[in-house]
């Protein structure tokens, strides 16, 4: 299902849901009335238009891979450039899509990046790429790659390799708000890292438990949230990456996606948590209302 909710204040109301093939694992807004979902079993991006609170199927774009993620890379004059990345395999898919133009105008281009390039994200800048580009964590190759400027034709280049034992696996990357740091959630190994996008310096960040992190969201250059099973931990860091303080927030499942939004429109950022494998009778998606650091608990739950 692709599901549409309306959030007003601190109340959420289900507006509509539409069936798709098995395992839609990413859904994003293209504009105020356009939504696209990456759907695994149909090898497609499914586009919907929101009309009076209802999801109207608009187009299914075949892309030839089973997509794990879809991100909006750019939008201009009614045209959208999308990037879809796979659950497994080395090929990513660039899609140029204009909903008001005939279906034949949609351009789909596949290019090899790395094995399992998960959770791509736009970055403002990177070493050797002052204009930035798109970064992804290569789950099965233990490295992070960069497509400078959102290159459609060339393979992504190596941005950093995790320089440790083979069991350390990069799962997700996210830039800090200023763009100075790229934070990398490591799925195993009991620590994470951040990479300086100006100097290329790499810093290890100690984790408060031996298990790995599955998601990451920087709140500032030196304040970051990490997602693990049934909880989040927030860390305030020093200039050298040393942990100055750690605080905790409980969640209802496996916190694989984190997003900032002022959901209740009170001027304070809230945290939307997308849980996979939520606990029985718990919510798959939840909102933690800010301020986030102030309400997090200083002790391990």
């Amino acid at each position: 299902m692709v599901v549409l909710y309306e959030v007003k204040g601190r109340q959420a109301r289900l507006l509509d849901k539409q069936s798709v093939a098995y395992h839609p694992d990413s859904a994003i807004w293209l504009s105020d009335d356009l939504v696209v979902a990456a759907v695994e079993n149909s090898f497609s991006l499914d586009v919907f238009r929101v009309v009076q609170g209802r999801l109207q199927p608009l187009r299914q774009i075949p892309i030839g891979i089973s997509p794990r993620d879809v991100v909006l890379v750019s939008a201009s004059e009614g045209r959208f450039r999308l990037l879809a990345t796979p659950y497994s395999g080395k090929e990513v898919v660039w899609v140029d899509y204009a909903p008001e133009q005939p279906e034949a105008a949609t351009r789909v281009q596949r290019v090899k990046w790395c094995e399992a390039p998960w959770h791509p994200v736009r970055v403002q800048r990177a070493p050797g790429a002052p204009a930035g580009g798109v970064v992804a964590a290569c789950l099965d190759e233990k490295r992070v790659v960069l497509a400078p400027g959102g290159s459609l034709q060339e393979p992504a280049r190596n941005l950093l390799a995790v320089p440790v034992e083979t069991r350390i696996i990069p799962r997700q990357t996210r830039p800090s708000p200023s763009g100075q740091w790229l934070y990398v959630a490591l799925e195993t190994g009991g620590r994470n890292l951040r990479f300086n996008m100006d100097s290329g310096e790499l810093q290890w960040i100690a984790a408060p438990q031996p298990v790995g992190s599955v998601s990451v969201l920087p709140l500032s250059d030196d304040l970051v949230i990490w997602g693990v099973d049934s909880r989040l931990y927030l860390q305030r860091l020093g200039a050298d990456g040393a942990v100055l303080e750690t605080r905790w927030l409980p969640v209802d499942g496996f916190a694989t996606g984190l997003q900032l939004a002022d959901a209740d429109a009170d001027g304070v950022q809230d945290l939307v948590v997308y849980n996979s494998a939520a606990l029985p009778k718990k919510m798959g998606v939840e909102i933690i209302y800010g301020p986030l650091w102030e309400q997090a608990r200083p002790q391990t739950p």
Side-chain angles (χ1 to χ4, degrees):
M1 294 282 186
V2 174
V3 184
L4 178 68
Y5 278 89
E6 178 185 56
V7 178
K8 285 188 175 181
R10 297 195 173 187
Q11 300 294 321
R13 180 169 68 98
L14 173 64
L15 296 181
D16 195 20
K17 52 186 177 181
Q18 292 288 328
S19 295
V20 293
Y22 175 73
H23 226 228
D25 207 65
S26 178
I28 59 170
W29 291 97
L30 299 184
S31 65
D32 286 344
D33 65 345
L34 287 174
V35 176
V36 61
V39 186
E40 179 184 357
N41 264 21
S42 57
F43 297 83
S44 67
L45 302 181
D46 292 13
V47 185
F48 299 85
R49 190 180 298 278
V50 178
V51 179
Q52 297 181 344
R54 297 292 182 266
L55 292 163
Q56 295 186 354
L58 189 61
R59 186 174 299 178
Q60 186 176 78
I61 305 173
I63 59 172
I65 65 170
S66 292
R68 175 72 172 82
D69 295 282
V70 59
V71 296
L72 176 63
V73 177
S74 62
S76 177
E77 299 181 347
R79 291 197 65 86
F80 304 97
R81 175 160 291 172
L82 309 174
L83 174 66
T85 57
Y87 274 90
S88 60
K90 296 185 177 182
E91 287 190 320
V92 305
V93 179
W94 294 97
V95 178
D96 282 329
Y97 170 61
E100 305 304 326
Q101 294 185 12
E103 190 169 338
T106 300
R107 186 167 61 131
V108 177
Q109 187 165 343
R110 295 165 67 171
V111 62
K112 288 185 178 180
W113 272 18
C114 61
E115 186 62 41
W118 276 26
H119 306 310
V121 65
R122 293 177 60 183
V123 296
Q124 301 173 30
R125 62 187 186 273
V134 178
V135 166
C138 301
L139 194 73
D140 293 334
E141 293 187 9
K142 304 168 186 63
R143 61 191 179 107
V144 175
V145 297
L146 167 73
S151 174
L152 294 180
Q153 297 179 342
E154 297 182 8
R157 66 172 174 83
N158 198 57
L159 181 64
L160 68 97
V162 181
V164 290
E165 60 270 24
T166 58
R167 69 175 183 271
I168 303 296
I169 299 171
R171 167 96 177 205
Q172 188 180 94
T173 65
R174 290 293 181 265
S176 64
S178 75
Q180 178 184 1
W181 294 100
L182 183 73
Y183 281 84
V184 184
L186 300 179
E187 187 172 326
T188 52
R191 53 182 173 167
N192 299 293
L193 61 85
R194 66 178 181 176
F195 180 77
N196 192 305
M197 298 293 260
D198 296 320
S199 67
E201 177 191 8
L202 188 149
Q203 294 180 349
W204 290 106
I205 303 170
Q209 55 186 31
V211 299
S213 302
V214 296
S215 58
V216 59
L217 181 64
L219 299 179
S220 67
D221 280 347
D222 297 314
L223 181 60
V224 59
I225 304 175
W226 308 96
V228 293
D229 187 13
S230 302
R231 52 202 182 275
L232 311 171
Y233 63 93
L234 292 72
Q235 291 183 319
R236 192 178 295 281
L237 306 175
D240 59 353
V243 178
L244 304 179
E245 188 177 355
T246 300
R247 297 187 179 186
W248 297 83
L249 287 168
V251 292
D252 284 336
F254 205 51
T256 55
L258 306 173
Q259 178 185 357
L260 286 177
D262 185 3
D264 57 357
D266 66 350
V268 178
Q269 290 282 65
D270 309 309
L271 182 66
V272 185
V273 183
Y274 300 88
N275 294 306
S276 62
L279 299 172
K281 299 183 180 180
K282 296 290 186 177
M283 295 177 291
V285 178
E286 57 189 304
I287 300 174
I288 301 174
Y289 292 98
L292 300 170
W293 175 260
E294 288 76 4
Q295 68 170 303
R297 299 175 180 178
Q299 72 274 15
T300 302

